[in-house]
Amino acid sequence: MASTLQPLLDSQNGGPTESADLSIRVDHIVEDGRHDEPSPRNSADLDKYHQHYSDRAPWLRAAVLGANDGLVSVASIMLGVSGGSKDKHTLILSGVSALVAGAMSMAAGEYISVASQRDTEQADVDKERAAQNSGPQMRQQELDELAQIYVERGLTERLAREVAVALTEKDAVRAHARDELGIDMDDLVSPWQAAISSLICFAIGGAVPLLSAVFLTDPKIRIIIVSLASTFALLLFGAIGAWLGGAHRVKAAFRVLLGGWIAFVLTYGVGKLFGESAA
């Protein structure tokens, strides 16, 4: 990429640009008065800085939300039933039903959501393709529009025009999709991938409270074990999600724990209020 843009940079600056002028001659980057890590010196250091967590966003969102939803949904329902009934069969049946229904609901919802997003993106790409096939005048207008985008990003008008022409000659539709619409045609989200990921992760999360209670007969012990197992799993899922996304693990874990315990307490209270004792 550098070799491709170098002649354009040379023409803009009126002559060859020395590599020394383009290199950063500082050992530390100072931001808000703090010294950051030393500048990368080798390919290993460069690879570390090129690992962008946002690239994982689509599948990470489906996976983490699926696991958390499965855990919180099934555990909350089981604790609510435990608050109103001591019958083990009723408890396990409610847990299994919540797991199956929730997993299917998550998968269906994720599929519909992602499929709708993909349909919208494909419709926008089709509009760009139609514009490119609408004659020279429309293609010129689209070229001017693309060049203006690069001007707004900091290029001179001359350089922006040269870049727009080069990218248009290579693949006009792909260039407009990426730089005008923000759509990467090589990385469209798969509805099936999101749906299956949500289903599996919901089932994994929901299995934690279900398996922790299935072999216990004492009602009070069941409540304690389900609560403890769910607490540990909430902390684990929150930390894993934060680690994969490059966020603060402890903060994220306790945020997930807080949300889960609010659901646990509320549903247990409802079960206690309207359970067998109330009848």
Side-chain angles (χ1 to χ4, degrees):
M1 183 67 180
S3 61
T4 302
L5 293 179
Q6 188 62 49
L8 299 179
L9 293 171
D10 292 344
S11 63
Q12 180 186 7
N13 296 328
T17 305
E18 296 182 1
S19 59
D21 295 333
L22 296 177
S23 62
I24 300 176
R25 295 179 174 275
V26 293
D27 292 331
H28 296 77
I29 299 175
V30 180
E31 182 179 359
D32 297 332
R34 296 180 293 109
H35 289 277
D36 210 338
E37 297 182 6
S39 300
R41 298 296 185 184
N42 52 51
S43 59
D45 291 336
L46 289 173
D47 290 340
K48 179 179 70 173
Y49 289 105
H50 287 160
Q51 294 176 353
H52 299 298
Y53 299 106
S54 59
D55 294 338
R56 304 171 179 172
W59 66 265
L60 177 61
R61 171 181 170 273
V64 174
L65 286 181
N68 284 333
D69 282 355
L71 174 62
V72 174
S73 297
V74 176
S76 296
I77 290 175
M78 292 181 66
L79 288 172
V81 172
S82 297
S85 173
K86 297 181 179 180
D87 184 60
K88 179 181 178 182
H89 177 74
T90 302
L91 176 67
I92 300 303
L93 179 60
S94 65
V96 173
S97 299
L99 190 151
V100 174
M104 295 305 298
S105 175
M106 280 289 294
E110 200 67 29
Y111 178 86
I112 293 171
S113 174
V114 175
S116 299
Q117 175 187 344
R118 182 161 183 158
D119 290 344
T120 301
E121 292 175 344
Q122 189 60 53
D124 284 337
V125 171
D126 291 341
K127 287 183 66 175
E128 288 297 333
R129 185 175 288 107
Q132 293 296 325
N133 295 329
S134 298
Q137 184 176 355
M138 180 58 71
R139 285 196 293 271
Q140 182 61 44
Q141 180 178 334
E142 290 292 305
L143 177 63
D144 295 340
E145 187 177 274
L146 190 61
Q148 183 59 35
I149 291 174
Y150 300 138
V151 170
E152 293 173 357
R153 292 181 181 179
L155 298 184
T156 64
E157 291 188 5
R158 177 182 175 184
L159 182 57
R161 170 69 60 172
E162 293 178 359
V163 172
V165 169
L167 293 177
T168 298
E169 290 176 349
K170 183 178 181 180
D171 192 330
V173 175
R174 193 176 298 272
H176 279 273
R178 180 183 62 247
D179 295 325
E180 180 184 351
L181 304 175
I183 299 173
D184 186 353
M185 295 175 60
D186 296 323
D187 192 28
L188 294 177
V189 181
S190 169
W192 283 110
Q193 180 184 10
I196 294 173
S197 174
S198 295
L199 186 149
I200 293 174
C201 291
F202 189 100
I204 291 174
V208 172
L210 190 58
L211 293 176
S212 65
V214 70
F215 300 111
L216 301 176
T217 56
D218 187 279
K220 294 182 179 180
I221 297 298
R222 280 202 304 263
I223 293 176
I224 294 174
I225 296 301
V226 168
S227 300
L228 290 177
S230 300
T231 297
F232 175 77
L234 283 171
L235 290 172
L236 180 63
F237 290 158
I240 291 175
W243 174 65
L244 291 173
H248 193 280
R249 280 170 279 185
V250 175
K251 182 178 179 180
F254 278 96
R255 181 170 59 234
V256 171
L257 179 63
L258 176 62
W261 263 96
I262 290 175
F264 297 164
V265 171
L266 288 177
T267 50
Y268 180 80
V270 170
K272 199 73 173 175
L273 182 63
F274 298 101
E276 291 178 351
S277 59

